[in-house]
């Protein structure tokens, strides 16, 4: 049986000497980890007095905060399941409570439903001077601890209950690779509604390191003040950081420019970085090479909600273009067409808790093996290369099958392009939908890069035109997921008229 991180957390307070900080738009809050543990215990005691116990479920609909972390830890201490919802995407109302069988919902937005408690109430409970006398709670590998949600491109998000064994296995596998310890400070800014972001809170308590929690909007300025050793980010964040660095190095040229870029990058990230972590979406090779040249190595990995982490590049075992070697507890299976399936010693689960009929059966095999929908290959040294999605192939009228991801990657190499997705609205041509890198699209640069991309492509792979989005894709406009991945089907629907009209868009 894997070493249980969760049972280590619920068994007693962490070793002293480490802290957690919260950096956002307001003042920074910092607490020793043993005080965090005590505050979570007091909150758990109050929740217990409200009648919550093992088998109950609470929801959290709020932005990253101390209260978010305390509610999650308090639930762990009681054996209560949590359901984390992305702030700004849902409404704190009866429908949400009833849809996911919630006993209580804590939110930073107001609601007339008495079962919705303000986030401030969680803080009041945690800081109340109450005796904390909680019964011991332990988790078996198959026990479900939290409900997490996909960020699928169509329909309602699928709800998946994560087991304790899957959390323990993933955290132990990562710790074996990276040995986070007393000299580390991990920096987290993606929403805590994503279970993988809460892993680093558990890691701090179990393995003894510092942690700073921020938000996406505050991440760049918070980096300089935090001076972390590890940053947990998505590719879109590192591309944003690269553009930020390059924009500040305009007076250096020739041999001086690499040194100036390296110094600017080190200043932005605080000067103590051991490594940068990325995953959730394909990373641009240009960005990976940029940070490596700045002595800020990025290690790319691969996983999904249904599997947790599957592969990871790490110090001593990293290969450009790959997503790393398979981690302990996971097995990657490939069929004759390169379709990737994943078998886990400790599965996240065997089916969705909330999904349309038939969806669980399409994704989960009877033995809990997950059909990922991705395509790739393993090299001779066991490094996994993900080459695309099985449904990222466009069949043209002339019978040609086009794998669009390599072309999209080439388009994204332009500093003027943040995202690019290819479609074939009539079956006879490839049309790009381009998200510009800023609010003011550089049409000249985008047109030039479209011409350059076509020059290096086979005739049947050439892009006939590029439709420009009027504003960059974002979470707020519904075209990026909570992990900053472009939502292909929503983007296609949003630009259906432009895609169908051959007179719309930039041409090479």
């Amino acid at each position: 049986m894997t070493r249980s991180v969760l049972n280590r957390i619920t068994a007693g307070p962490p070793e002293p000497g480490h802290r957690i900080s919260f950096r956002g738009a307001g003042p920074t809050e910092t607490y020793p980890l043993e005080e965090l543990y005590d505050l979570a215990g007091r909150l758990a005691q109050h929740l217990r007095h409200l009648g919550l116990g093992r088998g109950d479920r609470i929801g959290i609909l709020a932005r990253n905060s101390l209260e978010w972390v305390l509610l999650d830890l308090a639930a762990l201490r009681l054996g209560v399941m949590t359901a984390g919802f992305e702030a700004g995407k849902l409404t704190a109302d009866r429908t949400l409570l009833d849809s996911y069988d919630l006993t209580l919902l804590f939110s930073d937005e107001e609601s007339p439903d008495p079962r919705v408690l303000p986030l401030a109430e969680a803080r009041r409970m945690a800081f109340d001077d109450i005796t904390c006398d909680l019964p011991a709670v332990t988790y078996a590998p198959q026990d479900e601890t939290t409900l997490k949600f996909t960020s699928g491109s169509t329909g309602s998000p699928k709800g998946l209950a994560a087991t304790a064994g899957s959390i323990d296995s993933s955290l132990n596998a990562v710790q074996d690779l990276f040995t986070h310890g007393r000299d580390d400070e991990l920096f987290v800014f993606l929403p805590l509604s994503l279970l993988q972001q809460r892993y680093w809170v558990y890691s701090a308590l179990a393995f003894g390191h510092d942690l700073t929690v921020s938000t996406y909007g505050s991440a760049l300025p918070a980096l300089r003040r935090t001076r972390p050793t590890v940053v947990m980010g998505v590719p879109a964040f590192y591309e944003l950081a690269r553009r930020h660095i390059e924009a500040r190095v305009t007076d250096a040229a020739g041999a001086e420019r690499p040194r100036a870029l390296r110094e600017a990058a080190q200043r932005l990230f605080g000067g103590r970085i051991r490594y940068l972590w990325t995953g959730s979406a394909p990373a641009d090779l240009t960005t990976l090479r940029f940070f490596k040249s700045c002595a800020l190595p990025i290690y790319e990995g691969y996983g999904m909600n249904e599997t947790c982490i599957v592969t990871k590049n790490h110090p001593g075992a990293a290969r450009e273009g790959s997503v790393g070697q398979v981690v302990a507890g996971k097995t990657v299976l490939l069929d004759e067409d390169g379709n990737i399936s994943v078998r886990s010693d400790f599965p996240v689960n065997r089916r969705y808790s909330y999904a349309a009929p038939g969806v669980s059966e399409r994704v989960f095999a009877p033995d809990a093996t997950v059909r990922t929908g991705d395509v790739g290959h393993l090299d001779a040294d066991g490094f996994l290369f993900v080459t695309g999605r099985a449904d990222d192939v466009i069949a043209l009228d002339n019978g040609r099958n086009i794998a669009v991801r390599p072309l999209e990657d080439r388009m994204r190499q332009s500093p003027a392009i943040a995202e690019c997705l290819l479609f074939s609205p009539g079956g006879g041509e490839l049309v790009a939908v381009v998200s510009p890198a800023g609010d003011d699209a550089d049409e000249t640069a985008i047109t030039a890069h479209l011409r350059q991309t076509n020059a290096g492509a086979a005739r049947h792979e050439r892009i006939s035109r590029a439709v420009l989005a009027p504003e960059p894709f974002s979470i707020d406009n519904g075209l990026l997921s909570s992990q900053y991945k472009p939502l292909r089907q929503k983007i296609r629907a949003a630009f259906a008229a432009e895609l169908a009209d051959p007179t719309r868009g930039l041409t090479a």
Side-chain angles (χ1 to χ4, degrees):
M1 178 177 172
T2 188
R3 308 181 304 276
S4 178
V5 175
L6 296 186
N7 287 339
R8 163 67 187 86
I9 292 170
T10 59
E15 295 294 325
H18 296 284
R19 57 176 173 74
I20 186 170
S21 298
F22 297 86
R23 292 187 185 272
T28 299
E29 293 186 87
T30 299
Y31 300 89
L33 290 183
E34 58 269 35
E35 184 178 354
L36 182 80
Y37 186 86
D38 180 58
L39 291 171
R42 296 183 194 183
L43 176 54
Q45 188 72 287
H46 275 286
L47 296 179
R48 188 181 175 209
H49 289 165
L50 291 175
L52 287 166
R54 196 143 201 169
D56 289 320
R57 185 181 295 175
I58 63 169
I60 309 170
L61 174 61
R63 292 160 182 81
N64 290 1
S65 62
L66 168 66
E67 293 87 344
W68 220 121
V69 172
L70 291 176
L71 282 164
D72 187 58
L73 294 177
L76 275 180
R77 301 275 297 273
L78 291 174
V80 169
M81 182 182 284
T82 55
F85 301 102
E86 187 180 348
K89 293 294 183 182
L90 298 165
T91 302
D93 58 12
R94 176 179 179 178
T95 299
L96 186 62
L97 284 139
D98 292 346
S99 295
Y100 297 107
D101 303 310
L102 305 178
T103 305
L104 291 176
L105 174 66
F106 288 85
S107 180
D108 52 11
E109 63 177 61
E110 294 183 359
S111 172
D113 194 304
R115 296 172 296 167
V116 178
L117 299 182
L119 212 60
E121 183 65 8
R123 177 179 285 258
R124 184 197 67 76
M125 293 177 186
F127 283 90
D128 187 23
D129 189 12
I130 186 175
T131 302
C132 181
D133 183 21
L134 298 172
V137 169
T138 59
Y139 290 93
Q142 69 275 14
D143 288 341
E144 298 172 347
T145 71
T146 192
L147 190 64
K148 55 182 179 176
F149 299 92
T150 68
S151 52
S153 59
T154 58
S156 299
K158 298 184 289 291
L160 181 69
T163 60
S166 69
I167 296 171
D168 288 337
S169 178
S170 296
L171 277 168
N172 283 316
V174 168
Q175 182 64 11
D176 289 344
L177 295 179
F178 291 99
T179 58
H180 299 132
R182 62 189 182 89
D183 295 326
D184 278 317
E185 175 150 3
L186 276 62
F187 184 79
V188 171
F189 59 87
L190 294 176
L192 292 170
S193 55
L194 302 170
L195 173 60
Q196 291 87 336
Q197 302 309 304
R198 277 128 65 196
Y199 278 10
W200 311 118
V201 178
Y202 307 157
S203 173
L205 291 165
F207 302 126
H209 58 75
D210 293 343
L211 179 71
T212 291
V213 177
S214 187
T215 63
Y216 198 97
S218 300
L220 287 180
L223 273 173
R224 285 188 288 268
R225 301 197 305 272
T226 302
R227 302 186 64 241
T229 62
V230 179
V231 176
M232 303 295 176
V234 290
F237 171 75
Y238 295 115
E239 289 162 17
L240 173 68
R242 186 189 84 186
R243 291 195 294 270
H244 179 91
I245 293 162
E246 290 173 334
R248 278 152 179 75
V249 180
T250 57
D251 55 352
E256 288 297 310
R257 185 167 173 80
R259 181 185 59 80
L261 288 170
R262 184 167 58 252
E263 290 175 353
Q266 290 289 335
R267 282 195 301 273
L268 177 63
F269 281 80
R272 289 203 311 143
I273 291 294
R274 181 156 72 92
Y275 77 92
L276 307 175
W277 171 297
T278 195
S280 85
D284 178 65
L285 279 178
T286 303
T287 299
L288 295 177
R289 291 168 182 166
F290 173 84
F291 281 102
K292 184 178 180 180
S293 72
C294 294
L296 298 171
I298 301 182
Y299 293 110
E300 192 173 8
Y302 172 70
M304 52 195 296
N305 263 339
E306 292 81 357
T307 63
C308 289
I309 185 170
V310 176
T311 64
K312 189 70 183 173
N313 285 295
H314 59 94
R319 186 153 296 173
E320 186 177 273
S322 84
V323 289
Q325 294 174 321
V326 182
V327 303
K330 297 293 194 303
T331 302
V332 168
L333 308 170
L334 300 170
D335 68 11
E336 62 275 11
D337 295 318
N339 293 297
I340 300 170
S341 293
V342 176
R343 183 178 297 147
S344 303
D345 291 351
F346 297 93
V348 173
N349 216 304
R350 296 177 176 273
R351 62 178 300 106
Y352 295 109
S353 302
Y354 300 91
V359 172
S360 288
E361 290 74 16
R362 287 198 296 272
V363 174
F364 296 94
D367 66 350
T369 294
V370 174
R371 305 176 184 99
T372 68
D374 292 317
V375 177
H377 66 273
L378 289 163
D379 71 10
D381 296 316
F383 286 88
L384 179 65
F385 291 76
V386 179
T387 54
R389 296 283 296 170
D391 55 4
D392 282 353
V393 175
I394 290 178
L396 299 179
D397 287 345
N398 60 11
R400 296 276 194 174
N401 291 327
I402 310 298
V404 298
R405 178 171 156 185
L407 293 169
E408 292 169 348
D409 288 345
R410 282 181 230 163
M411 286 291 288
R412 278 194 292 265
Q413 288 175 10
S414 169
I417 297 173
E419 287 291 350
C420 173
L421 281 83
L422 293 179
F423 303 94
S424 182
E429 62 175 351
L430 292 177
V431 181
V433 176
V434 169
S435 170
D439 291 331
D440 297 320
D442 187 339
E443 294 189 11
T444 301
I446 293 170
T447 301
H449 192 70
L450 174 61
R451 188 178 302 116
Q452 179 183 338
T453 299
N454 282 341
R459 181 179 295 274
H460 62 276
E461 293 179 332
R462 291 174 186 167
I463 303 166
S464 66
R465 53 195 170 90
V467 171
L468 285 185
E471 62 178 0
F473 302 160
S474 69
I475 293 176
D476 290 341
N477 63 29
L479 300 181
L480 292 181
S481 75
S482 58
Q483 298 189 59
Y484 296 85
K485 291 190 252 186
L487 298 174
R488 188 174 295 272
Q489 297 307 319
K490 289 188 177 180
I491 291 166
R492 179 170 193 147
F495 295 93
E498 293 88 342
L499 287 167
D501 185 345
T503 67
R504 306 282 289 272
L506 305 175
T507 59

